[in-house]
Structures are given as C-alpha cells and as structure tokens.
Amino acid sequence: MSFWRLDTLFLAFLSLLALLTPLLGPVNEAVAPPFCKPLWLDHESGKPLSLNAKDNSLSFTWESKPPKTFSVKGTVTFEGVPKSAALLLAGPSKTYKLVDLAGYRNFDVDIDSRDVPLKLFLGLSPFVDVSSVIFSERGAYSLFIASDVKAHLDLNLNIYTGKWGIFGTDQRGRDVFRLTLAGIRISLLVGIFATLIASTLGMGLGLFAGYLGGLADSSIMRGVDVLLAIPTLPILVVISGVWGRGLWQIVFVLSIFSWMGTARVVRSLTLSLREAPYVEGLRALGAPTGYILARHFIPEAMPLLLAQMALGVPGAILAEAGLSFLGLSDPLMSSWGRMLHEAQVFGAFTSGAWWLIFPPGLGIASICLAFISVGRRFEEMADPRLREMAER
C-alpha cells in the first residue's frame, strides 16, 4: 500500500476520532492532581484507587509509597442527632480524625488532603503533605464513622498516586490524552475551513483576473503582491487581538492571508486556457462569461485546487498552533497550540515533563505530514510529469 493511501487512512482515522471525542465528556475538568506522570512511566507509585463506602465502614490495603493526594466526598446521614460523631481514617498503627460530625443529622463531606483547614484540624503545618503523614505505613486502612447514633454512609474515597492515564495530567489536573484527542477536532476545523474559504476566494479572484485581464488582472495581482509582502505573523497577532480569540475569528483571519497562492495558480491556468480554440468558439457563439468559467474553466482548475487545498491545510494548522502558543486563542479551546503554550508557561520545557509536550507536538507534525503527502498525490494527478520526475 502506497504512502499516500496510508496517509489518507490516517486522516480518516483522525476525523473519526474528532467526531467521537465529544462522547468522552468535558475535557477541561480536573480528573487527578496536577502534573501526574503517565501510568506506564512511574513504576514506584501504586495504582490510583476509587472506592465507595455504602456501609458503616470501608476497608482497603495500601502497599505502595505514600500517594500524592486523596479526597473523601459524599454524604453522611444519621438516624438521629449525634452528640458524639466523627469520620475517622485508621491506619496500621494510628487513627486520624478527619471531620467532626457531632450535632448534624445530615452532613455533606468534602475533604481534600491539599486543603489547609484539614491540615490545621489535624494539627499539622500548612506546608506538610497530609497524604505522606496518613499513608506513611503500608498495611490495612479503614474509613469509618464513630458515633453514638447509627449512621448511613455514601462516601467516595479517591486516592491519587501521582500517575494517571496514558499521558498523565497537566497543570490543572486535566487528562492530557483527552486534551490531545480534543485537539484533533480543533486542528481539523481550523485547517479545513480556513483553507476552504481561502481556496474559494483565491479561485474566484484568479479566474476573473486571468479571464478578464486588463485593469482587473493588474489590480488583483498587485493586491496579491502587497499581501505577500506583508509579514503574516505580526498581522495575525494584531488582528487576533482586535477581533477576539474565538475559533471562527481565527479561521476567518487565517483565510484572509491564505488565498494568494491559489489565486496565482488559478490565474496562470486561466491565462493558458483563455486563448484556446474552443474558448474562442464559445465566445463567438455568444456564450456568457459565467457559463464559460463554470462549465469549462472550473473543472480544469479543480485538480490544482484540490492540491492547493491539501497543501494549504498544514499552513493553517501551524498558524493556529503558533497563535495559540503565543496565547492568542480562547483559553477554553483545547487546541494543540494551547497545550504547548500552557506547558511552556508552567515550566514543562525546563522541568523535563515531556509527556505534556510530546503528544501535541507529535499531533501537529503527523497531521501536517499526512496532508502534505495527500497534496503531493493530488499534484501528481493534476500534472503526471511530476510523477515521472519522482520515478526517475
């Protein structure tokens, strides 16, 4: 199987992932503590635990080094108002009182080992890691209610060990793997729609410039020369700052500065076809300009247009990634460029947290190379001489 077919299948697979990504749920919610390493990278920590207590107590065994954090959330309901009640976490040699429940008929528990009030309640310094104190020993642990009134529990105990998922978590505790999948959708939307708008605009202007000639041709081509002479990135930065950071604002800004190459290619083809005998015959028969362009010129230009579109998508993806890396995208938009921006801001490049850098970087490189391969194939279909030159 040739490379371009593999690339086509790869792009189809990415498109399918982009369609299925919303089924994973919100990607901007925290699922674990920040900067957790991937599961397969950290072999010293134990596996994360997620346990539910429906009875009066919950027992489990911990046989690894102390976890990074833990949390207890849920509700405790008493059959009466207790005069003495507390939520306790018992270890192999010591028992810790997590919260006082006396005087409450119903109590909503929301405990996080990183909370300063919990540390002060336990008599610890605000700078002490509670998890390393409570889980300092290996052995059997139990979470239970000590009360003079019967209690009914519905508690969830989550123990986070400093590792999570395939690519770990970022500075907000979000799953990097889910963010990477969400970035596929953003990159495809920006790349395809920006290139589609730019190609449509470039084809229309190129056709009119090449077919009409004269003042129209000169005006359009001088406009192309001016836009090509302008440094694109600074202009994109300024316009993005003025118009906003939304997804479709970025698409529109990129399309404005991406149509010139298509216009030049289509104009060249139109100039070569304008003086063809069959076009002269159509003019002599009184065929309108719109009919000639739509019926004969656009079909001739379509192979070149497809090649230009496929080759233009990587440029749009890289431009969006560059703008996002500079912080000029929507903070809530989970794009690959935004992931690299946040990784750089929070020190992933200097601290060696490569699992925050490698997935978006590899995604950008792979999708751009796939579109380039498909675009080269379209070019060879439009001009067989390119294939002959490649085979020599």
Side-chain angles (χ1 to χ4, degrees):
M1 185 179 291
S2 60
F3 284 112
W4 80 272
R5 291 181 180 176
L6 289 175
D7 290 330
T8 303
L9 292 176
F10 176 68
L11 291 176
F13 176 69
L14 290 182
S15 301
L16 180 61
L17 287 180
L19 293 175
L20 296 179
T21 299
L23 300 179
L24 298 177
V27 298
N28 288 318
E29 293 184 355
V31 296
F35 298 113
C36 288
K37 295 182 179 180
L39 283 172
W40 49 271
L41 185 63
D42 187 0
H43 299 288
E44 297 181 359
S45 301
K47 295 182 179 181
L49 288 181
S50 181
L51 305 172
N52 181 260
K54 289 290 186 180
D55 299 323
N56 288 336
S57 63
L58 171 65
S59 300
F60 60 96
T61 302
W62 188 256
E63 296 293 346
S64 303
K65 69 178 186 180
K68 195 169 184 179
T69 63
F70 72 90
S71 66
V72 182
K73 297 182 180 181
T75 59
V76 179
T77 303
F78 296 95
E79 294 184 354
V81 178
K83 295 181 180 180
S84 174
L87 177 63
L88 306 177
L89 179 58
S93 62
K94 192 174 182 180
T95 300
Y96 298 89
K97 182 180 179 181
L98 300 181
V99 63
D100 189 357
L101 304 176
Y104 294 96
R105 181 75 179 267
N106 300 292
F107 192 91
D108 293 327
V109 179
D110 188 0
I111 298 173
D112 192 306
S113 63
R114 296 169 292 182
D115 293 340
V116 174
L118 174 65
K119 298 178 182 180
L120 298 178
F121 182 77
L122 294 173
L124 302 174
S125 168
F127 305 101
V128 171
D129 184 3
V130 174
S131 299
S132 63
V133 174
I134 294 180
F135 292 93
S136 59
E137 300 177 282
R138 302 185 181 187
Y141 285 81
S142 177
L143 180 70
F144 62 96
I145 296 289
S147 172
D148 55 359
V149 178
K150 185 176 181 181
H152 301 279
L153 306 183
D154 186 7
L155 299 176
N156 293 313
L157 171 64
N158 294 297
I159 301 177
Y160 304 106
T161 59
K163 60 181 183 179
W164 179 273
I166 299 177
F167 293 139
T169 61
D170 66 355
Q171 74 285 345
R172 300 182 190 174
R174 300 175 299 178
D175 191 343
V176 176
F177 178 69
R178 293 171 62 182
L179 289 173
T180 304
L181 294 182
I184 298 174
R185 181 170 174 265
I186 299 298
S187 294
L188 289 178
L189 282 175
V190 171
I192 292 176
F193 279 95
T195 306
L196 183 61
I197 295 173
S199 299
T200 303
L201 180 62
M203 182 182 66
L205 294 176
L207 285 173
F208 281 106
Y211 188 80
L212 298 178
L215 180 60
D217 184 21
S218 300
S219 301
I220 293 175
M221 288 301 103
R222 296 299 76 77
V224 169
D225 294 338
V226 170
L227 290 177
L228 289 175
I230 296 176
T232 305
L233 184 58
I235 296 298
L236 291 177
V237 170
V238 172
I239 295 179
S240 298
V242 173
W243 284 355
R245 302 181 178 185
L247 174 63
W248 297 109
Q249 285 93 328
I250 292 178
V251 169
F252 186 66
V253 168
L254 293 178
S255 63
I256 292 177
F257 293 92
S258 305
W259 59 270
M260 294 81 73
T262 302
R264 279 187 163 184
V265 171
V266 174
R267 173 182 176 271
S268 300
L269 177 64
T270 304
L271 289 175
S272 64
L273 295 176
R274 186 177 62 180
E275 306 301 331
Y278 74 91
V279 176
E280 295 288 347
L282 288 172
R283 289 201 198 96
L285 292 173
T289 300
Y291 173 81
I292 296 175
L293 293 178
R295 182 66 178 81
H296 296 280
F297 281 58
I298 291 180
E300 290 287 343
M302 193 56 65
L304 286 175
L305 186 64
L306 291 175
Q308 288 292 316
M309 289 179 63
L311 294 174
V313 170
I317 292 175
L318 289 173
E320 183 276 328
L323 291 175
S324 298
F325 182 75
L326 294 175
L328 295 173
S329 65
D330 186 354
L332 300 179
M333 187 173 66
S334 303
S335 67
W336 289 333
R338 191 74 194 182
M339 292 175 64
L340 292 174
H341 166 75
E342 294 182 350
Q344 188 270 335
V345 169
F346 288 92
F349 288 86
T350 57
S351 62
W354 58 265
W355 58 89
L356 300 178
I357 306 168
F358 182 75
L362 179 62
I364 293 172
S366 59
I367 197 171
C368 288
L369 290 175
F371 272 107
I372 289 174
S373 177
V374 173
R376 294 302 183 192
R377 177 60 181 173
F378 281 135
E379 278 190 332
E380 293 176 359
M381 294 171 61
D383 188 356
R385 290 175 297 179
L386 296 174
R387 184 188 306 172
E388 295 175 359
M389 294 175 60
E391 292 177 352
R392 290 178 184 177

